[in-house]
Amino acid sequence: MKNFAIVCALCLLVATAALTAQNKPAAKKFDSAELARGKYLVESIGMCGDCHTPINEMGQPVMDKNLQGATLMFKPTVPIPGWADRSANIAGLKGWTDEESIKFLTTGVDPNGKQAAPPMPQFRYSKADAAAITAYLRSLAPAAVQSSSK
């Protein structure tokens, strides 16, 4: 009877593990050419790090916080309505779908139907370039933390 209980418990554990694994989303694979294009557009064309990466006391970007949002180090000389004093964390695009990001990068309109707040430029990238930028930013998402069972 004791062996039967152990076998049942093991079967239940295996079945639970299999069901849990089925419910986890598969890790998204990114095309290397698209990622390279997106990185180029983010770093060299959009220069996103200038606002979205914090800088240290020497004025250098803090690369371990690359594109994770920052307090803006500049202000307008005259009042500008809606001016953002802080940039958003765009590494991983948390809270945005790919479609929302592509729409924002092609139209300048966010998921709430609002224009980008100044000083954010209202980019008009092509759909292919917006998709490459989205893939690159999505690839910067931190690895999922695995919980330990007790």
Side-chain angles (χ1 to χ4, degrees), residues 56-75:
N56 63 22
E57 48 285 335
M58 301 294 291
Q60 300 297 315
V62 180
M63 295 313 291
D64 62 337
K65 295 183 185 262
N66 189 33
L67 302 174
Q68 295 180 15
T71 300
L72 298 180
M73 301 309 294
F74 56 91
K75 304 231 182 276

Side-chain angles (χ1 to χ4, degrees), residues 71-134:
T71 300
L72 298 180
M73 301 309 294
F74 56 91
K75 304 231 182 276
T77 56
V78 296
I80 296 179
W83 182 270
D85 292 327
R86 181 163 180 76
S87 64
N89 177 353
I90 58 174
L93 293 174
K94 186 176 180 180
W96 288 64
T97 66
D98 289 358
E99 293 76 21
E100 290 169 339
S101 174
I102 291 168
K103 179 182 177 187
F104 182 72
L105 293 167
T106 57
T107 66
V109 177
D110 74 14
N112 296 319
K114 296 180 182 174
Q115 295 290 322
M120 176 70 184
Q122 294 178 13
F123 290 113
R124 299 292 193 274
Y125 287 104
S126 70
K127 189 168 183 177
D129 283 349
I133 292 167
T134 298

Side-chain angles (χ1 to χ4, degrees), residues 3 9 12 15 28 33-34 47 49 67 76 84 86 96 103 141 147:
N3 287 341
L12 184 59
K28 184 170 181 171
E34 186 176 43
M47 301 179 67
L67 302 174
R86 181 163 180 76
W96 288 64
K103 179 182 177 187
S147 60

